[in-house]
Amino acid sequence: MAKTAKKKVAAKPAKKAAPKKAAAKKAAPKKAAVKKAAPKKAAAKKTARKPNAAFMRPVTPSETLAVIVGSKPVPRTEITKKVWEYIKKNNLQDKTNKRQINADAALKAVFGGKASVDMFSMTKLVGKHLK
């Protein structure tokens, strides 16, 4: 009988230990769920952005740039769009490297005499022709 009593005593603590571990694991996901919910609320508040007035201010293109985009004062974002329309319409983008723009006679004057310009430096060169 002594052997059976020892087994019963050893079996009881094993059963109690298992529920404690399960309870600890369940508590951790609840904390993580609370942390994830807080950033979503903060991100929702930041969605109301005001446009930058500097981008929307009308600028007058120079005579060389006016050949491509027109002579009316328009925002610099519209000038960039019109330059890209001109490039696409005249098929001036390089076939193999789409980042390179092969200038025609009108664009060569805007690009400072360069025959080929990278698309990232294009806006810098166009910006020199804005007043």
Side-chain angles (χ1 to χ4, degrees), residues 20-126:
K20 287 181 184 177
K21 289 180 184 178
K25 288 182 183 179
K26 288 180 183 177
K30 288 180 185 177
K31 290 178 185 177
V34 172
K35 289 180 183 177
K36 288 181 183 177
K40 288 180 184 178
K41 290 179 184 176
K45 292 179 183 177
K46 293 181 181 180
T47 55
R49 286 185 55 212
K50 295 180 181 176
N52 191 345
F55 284 121
M56 302 315 291
R57 181 175 53 94
V59 290
T60 308
S62 68
E63 292 177 12
T64 53
L65 185 60
V67 173
I68 298 168
V69 298
S71 59
K72 292 182 181 179
V74 291
R76 63 178 63 241
T77 54
E78 290 299 316
I79 288 178
T80 306
K81 286 180 186 178
K82 289 181 180 183
V83 169
W84 272 109
E85 285 173 13
Y86 180 84
I87 290 168
K88 301 262 183 175
K89 183 177 82 174
N90 294 318
N91 202 20
L92 298 174
Q93 213 169 0
D94 192 41
K95 301 283 186 228
T96 55
N97 187 2
K98 296 280 187 179
R99 290 181 287 182
Q100 286 296 114
I101 295 143
N102 301 321
D104 62 351
L107 275 178
K108 201 176 251 190
V110 174
F111 293 160
K114 295 181 180 179
S116 182
V117 173
D118 188 50
M119 69 167 47
F120 302 111
S121 60
M122 177 193 75
T123 52
K124 179 182 172 185
L125 295 168
V126 169

